[in-house]
Amino acid sequence: MNAPTLAGQSRTAPAPAAPAPTLLAVGHGSRDPRARATLSSLLDRVHELRPGLDVRLAHIELNAPLLDDTLARLAAEGRDAVLVPLLFAPGHHVTHDLPAAVAAVPALRARVAEPLGAHPLLVEALAGRLAEAGWAPEDGNSGATGVVLASAGSRDPRSGAEIRRIAALLGERLGGVPVVPAYASAAAPTVPEAVRALTARGRNRVAVASCFTAPGLFATRAAAHAPWIAADPLGAHPALARLVLHRYDRARTAAPTTTPARELAAI
């Protein structure tokens, strides 16, 4: 029986809290069969860090589940969502494709988080994969070592600027060693060009750091050009899982944009 209030009315129980928005991690998609499994492992780690959270995976192309289908399914379930791009910089997919996909599902309340970007957690993951490949702390003090930071590439100048910031942070993390960004497509320099540039500076032990979330054609080609060691894609690295949650949390708590009914935000 409800206890009476001072006005003689019954005290009603508080309404249950709304569930947290679904974390929808969005990968590009790849024909490499290892890619989807790798991203699934990353999201398993994310779920371990936040056990009660609904965590799902979608792809822009090439792999199921596709983004459009997943957004429609979330809308049918009455879920809210935060899309976290498993991409590193604000290129066309982040600034156009993801917001457009959300806009095409009017029933869905969703936000688009920042890409993974220049963040200490990303640098921790990059350095960790290099260490697994054979990079030692003393290599940062050697005048013979250098690093090529390999990424997919984009024609968007904001993307190149972000990858350069990541390269600078990685160089600091490795003790001041030069880190040259390079691209698999759409931008210059290529990985072989970056390797030659470092060699011309007397850096004859050049490692390739993999700024890719999962195995695929671009990551495989970049690694093949490493004169010394090549790091694996970031995959389910613990720091990358924490970064995915960080981007989710930031987007979830950001102020509404000028379209509050849709709660669409390119954060």
Side-chain angles (χ1 to χ4, degrees):
M1 178 176 180
N2 290 330
T5 66
L6 292 179
Q9 298 175 340
S10 296
R11 183 181 293 116
T12 58
T22 295
L23 189 166
L24 180 60
V26 185
H28 181 274
S30 172
R31 292 183 176 86
D32 190 314
R34 299 170 295 172
R36 189 184 187 284
T38 298
L39 296 186
S40 295
S41 296
L42 170 62
L43 297 193
D44 287 343
R45 192 176 289 273
V46 170
H47 191 264
E48 290 170 1
L49 293 171
R50 193 78 56 88
L53 184 61
D54 182 28
V55 180
R56 306 191 194 187
L57 174 64
H59 303 88
I60 296 170
E61 59 184 9
L62 298 175
N63 294 122
L66 290 171
L67 176 60
D68 292 346
D69 297 338
T70 304
L71 294 177
R73 188 174 303 113
L74 287 168
E77 294 173 9
R79 301 282 310 188
D80 296 349
V82 174
L83 282 64
V84 179
L86 299 181
L87 304 166
F88 297 96
H92 186 77
H93 290 312
V94 173
T95 61
H96 178 268
D97 291 346
L98 269 60
V102 171
V105 188
L108 180 67
R109 293 162 59 91
R111 294 171 178 245
V112 180
E114 292 178 354
L116 300 173
H119 190 278
L121 286 169
L122 177 60
V123 175
E124 181 180 337
L126 288 165
R129 291 294 188 231
L130 277 171
E132 292 169 1
W135 183 276
E138 57 268 22
D139 290 321
N141 301 319
S142 170
T145 56
V147 175
V148 171
L149 178 67
S151 67
S154 169
R155 293 182 178 85
D156 191 320
R158 294 169 295 179
S159 178
E162 190 71 8
I163 298 299
R164 288 192 293 273
R165 283 191 285 270
I166 296 170
L169 290 174
L170 180 59
E172 293 173 7
R173 172 66 180 258
L174 297 176
V177 65
V179 177
V180 177
Y183 308 96
S185 69
T190 64
V191 173
E193 289 169 345
V195 169
R196 288 194 292 270
L198 283 167
T199 302
R201 295 162 58 181
R203 303 281 175 166
N204 298 311
R205 298 177 74 228
V206 179
V208 172
S210 183
C211 201
F212 299 98
T213 52
L217 178 63
F218 287 167
T220 300
R221 285 179 176 174
H225 292 297
W228 176 34
I229 57 174
D232 287 337
L234 300 179
H237 193 282
L240 193 66
R242 298 201 306 274
L243 180 53
V244 169
L245 279 171
H246 171 74
R247 293 302 186 206
Y248 167 84
D249 289 334
R250 282 198 61 182
R252 182 188 174 193
T253 58
T257 64
T258 56
T259 55
R262 296 293 314 286
E263 292 198 15
L264 170 61
I267 306 299

